[in-house]
Every structure is written in C-alpha cells, then in structure tokens.
Amino acid sequence: MTGPHSHAQAPARPLEGRKLLLCVGGGIAAYKSLELVRRLRDAGARVQVAMTEGAQQFVTPLSFQALSGQPVRTTLWDGAAEQAMGHIELARWADRVVIAPATADLLARLANGHADDLVTTLCLATTAPVTVCPAMNHRMWLHPATQANLALLRGRGVQVIGPEDGPLAEGESGPGRLSEPDAIVAALAADPVPAAAPDRLNGVRVLISAGPTYEDLDPVRYVGNRSSGKMGYALAAAAARRGAQVVLVSGPVQIATPPGVRRIDVRSAAQMREAVLAELPADIYIGAAAVADYTPQQVSPQKLKKTPGSHTLVLELVRTADILAEVAAQEDALKLVVGFAAETHDVEKYARGKLVDKHLDLIIANQVGIAGGGFESDQNAATAYWADGQRDFPGTAKTQLAEQLLDLITERLDA
Ligand code: C5P
C-alpha cells in the first residue's frame, strides 16, 4: 500500500559489516533464534553462534550452523574448535555479543560473573558491548531476584531488549516472550558500534580522569559539582574496546566500570592529583574530570553548627593544584595531553586560552548551561581545538562522541 516515497526508508542492510556473537540460552524461545540468525545476516551482519548445554536440548547446533554458515561452538572443551578459533579470540572477534534467549538462570550467572561454561566465559572475556534478550515464564521475569540481576547488568551498560507481553509457551500470558527477530535487529541497528574498532590504540597507555571532585567542609558536607562522569567513562570504554590499556581515575559517580578498564576511585582534587601523577608515564592523558578549582582551607573535624544570631557563613577557599597543567608540564612522561573546557560563553576564546596556558596538545570545548548537552546529559556537542586546527562535533550521544573524539585523538597522536 505504501508508495516508494511515502516514508523514510530504513537502510536495507543496517548491520552491514557488523560481527555479532549470538549466544543461545536454554529456553523454548531458542527456536526463534534460528530466525534471528537469518534476519541478522539479511541485515548484513556476520554471525557466529555459541550455545549453552540447555539450548542444545531445544535446537541442534546443526540448525544454527546451516543458518549462520559458520561452525557452532557448544563447549569450552572442544580441542579442535579451540584450535580453529580459541574462545578468547572469539570473544575478541565480536563487536557485540547478543544473548537470545537469555534465560533467568543465564541472567543470574552473567550478573554474578560466572565463567563455568562456554557462554558465560565468552561474556566475561569480551570487551564488546553485550545485549540480552530475555525470555522466560512471566513469574520468573517478575521475580525480584531476576529484576535485581537485570538492574546489575543494566548498571554495567548491558543493553536489554524485551521481553514482550503476550501468550507464553506454558499457556499463560504476561511479560516474558522473546522479542521478535525484526525488533531485535531494529534495536541493534539503533545502537551502533563501529564495524571494526580501529586498533591504532592497541597497547597504548591511556590515562583518563573523570567525574566531579568532592571537597569536604566537615564530616557531613562537601563542595561538589554536577559532573556525571559520563563523557570520561564513554572515552574509557571506547579506548578499551580499541585495545588500549586504560586507567580511569574517577571522582564519585554512579556509573559501572567499563569492561577492561582499571579504575581508581578518588574523592577530592588533591586525591585525584596524587592518583593521576602516580600513574605516569602514559601515552595519552585525557583530563575529562570536573576538578574543583577551590577547596576549603580547613576541613572541620566536627559538624559546623549554625551560629546563633548570624545570618551569614563565610567559607575560606583556597586554589587547588591544576592537575592538567601539571601533567602537561611533564613533557617526557606523555605523548599527548588532552583537556576539556566547559564554558558558558566565548567558548573558542577561553578554550584556546587554556590550550596555550596549560600547554595542551588538544582541548575539547563544549558549551554548558544550554538545554540538551553538557553536565548530567547523555548528549553532547563539542568543538576540538589544537594549535593549527579545529573540528566541530555536532550534538550526539556521548558514547558516539567518544568514538569520534578517539578518532581525532589517534590522528593527533600520529601528527
Ligand atoms: O581551567 P578549567 O578548570 O576550565 O580547565 C578545565 C580542564 O582542566 C579540564 O580538562 C579539567 O580536567 C582540568 N583541571 C584540572 N585540575 C584543576 C582544574 C581543572 O586538571 N584543578
């Protein structure tokens, strides 16, 4: 009924070039994963399949082999398969791991970091993003244990597709149906990762600071800021996926550590400085943290009390050390130093000023205080400046911006 010009056409092969590792769990919905393999391949993806023991009770590896055009992995203990492509190699090959169906038991084992069979081991060994497509009885789905496992996995950045509400295999109805293959393909296409993570950063040591700092006033109060840490964490995750050795010095944030990243938690600007300097030398330093510029001159050992009769309280603050400038001064310890500048106005002027004053190789500036970007947001727009150039990055998800910034950082490393 719809004519050729009636609506915007989705790309015919939205997963072109993608390398997907499909892990099949042991549920009745496993039969739908056969169809999923076809749809993923129709969408352009290369698909390799791994199955749990349970999955093989429902569907045979031969069916998946025929549909994927690839040998199917079923166990850790297959010497011939390991020789062809070891499980660690397989975990590295994938640019995304998709688990469909993800049973309640599989979700629990993933949440707890088990590695007692092929599928859980692959999931622990990969640095690729993971997608789970749950399918189970609706009471199992709604059980607090399953929901808690899911919350844990979501907190680690796992993408969750479904389940759908509707008739279930046991003749009951409720949330628990595996999402339809087309819906899974659409969700994967909407959350893209680069077809092949460029490996120029393989083995490169990347030190990143992220998040806010908290400067204590007394045992219960602090001076902080609204940085969420999302940008620095997205950079850390993307760099680790490209094979970098990433150390993330993090202020207090509510984000899970990205896979493959070594994280050091700090609270104050002074602690952040100490941790960052202790991690030098590195190849690249990215100062994405919102470091406090001032800290209370004194931390009161006791809770500050209201002074009767006084309407004001004067806090004496002193300047903190500029970590970024200090790092940049250690020219022999680094190849590239990248700073961030959050500005409310005159972005280029202030950003270029910091580039020169702090002796940086690159500065990423963004305008804060406007809707839809900056602090706390999942979105950001930025402009990067270096001595003889600049590049605009229009508004996009911080995860996407991180990839684009890493492309530029890699270019500047080689410049
Ligand atoms: O000068 P301004 O604070 O705007 O510069 C921001 C950049 O400097 C960010 O990269 C931030 O991580 C870094 N910075 C720092 N230590 C400070 C203040 C800022 O490393 N004390």
Side-chain angles (χ1 to χ4, degrees), residues 325-347:
E326 218 172 313
V327 168
Q330 300 199 26
E331 282 172 21
D332 295 342
L334 287 137
K335 298 191 180 116
L336 194 83
V337 179
V338 184
F340 272 76
E343 309 292 349
T344 55
H345 59 284
D346 287 334
V347 177

Side-chain angles (χ1 to χ4, degrees), residues 209 287-289 291-293 320-324 339-340 354 358:
S209 71
V291 187
D293 291 326
T320 55
D322 191 317
I323 305 168
L324 184 59
F340 272 76
K354 283 172 196 176
K358 302 193 190 202

Side-chain angles (χ1 to χ4, degrees), residues 163-370:
E164 306 301 325
D165 215 319
L168 298 168
E170 308 84 351
E172 296 183 300
S173 188
R177 285 169 61 85
L178 183 70
S179 289
E180 292 305 320
D182 280 343
I184 296 174
V185 170
L188 291 172
D191 198 9
V193 292
D199 61 3
R200 168 64 184 90
L201 292 181
N202 210 358
V204 170
R205 294 162 305 167
V206 180
L207 177 59
I208 301 177
S209 71
T213 64
Y214 286 179
E215 309 301 317
D216 288 337
L217 289 167
D218 68 16
V220 294
R221 303 183 184 94
Y222 61 84
V223 180
N225 64 66
R226 287 168 49 184
S227 165
S228 63
K230 285 176 186 161
M231 193 65 240
Y233 274 65
L235 283 163
R241 276 201 296 277
R242 294 179 187 210
Q245 293 173 31
V246 184
V247 178
L248 180 62
V249 177
S250 174
V253 296
Q254 302 298 318
I255 316 181
T257 311
V261 169
R262 180 157 68 84
R263 167 170 163 184
I264 302 169
D265 284 312
V266 298
R267 181 174 171 83
S268 65
Q271 288 172 355
M272 185 170 275
R273 172 181 175 273
E274 200 176 315
V276 165
L277 295 180
E279 289 300 325
L280 294 179
D283 294 304
I284 301 174
Y285 176 71
I286 306 176
V291 187
D293 291 326
Y294 292 91
T295 190
Q297 183 152 48
Q298 281 175 342
V299 184
S300 168
Q302 288 168 348
K303 187 179 169 192
L304 294 168
K305 305 302 285 182
K306 292 186 274 288
T307 315
S310 171
H311 289 293
T312 58
L313 168 71
V314 177
L315 291 173
E316 190 123 28
L317 303 175
V318 291
R319 282 291 293 270
T320 55
D322 191 317
I323 305 168
L324 184 59
E326 218 172 313
V327 168
Q330 300 199 26
E331 282 172 21
D332 295 342
L334 287 137
K335 298 191 180 116
L336 194 83
V337 179
V338 184
F340 272 76
E343 309 292 349
T344 55
H345 59 284
D346 287 334
V347 177
E348 174 160 10
K349 185 177 120 196
Y350 286 117
R352 285 212 173 271
K354 283 172 196 176
L355 184 72
V356 174
D357 294 346
K358 302 193 190 202
H359 301 286
L360 309 178
D361 298 299
L362 184 65
I363 190 151
I364 321 291
N366 61 318
Q367 190 154 359
V368 291
I370 48 168

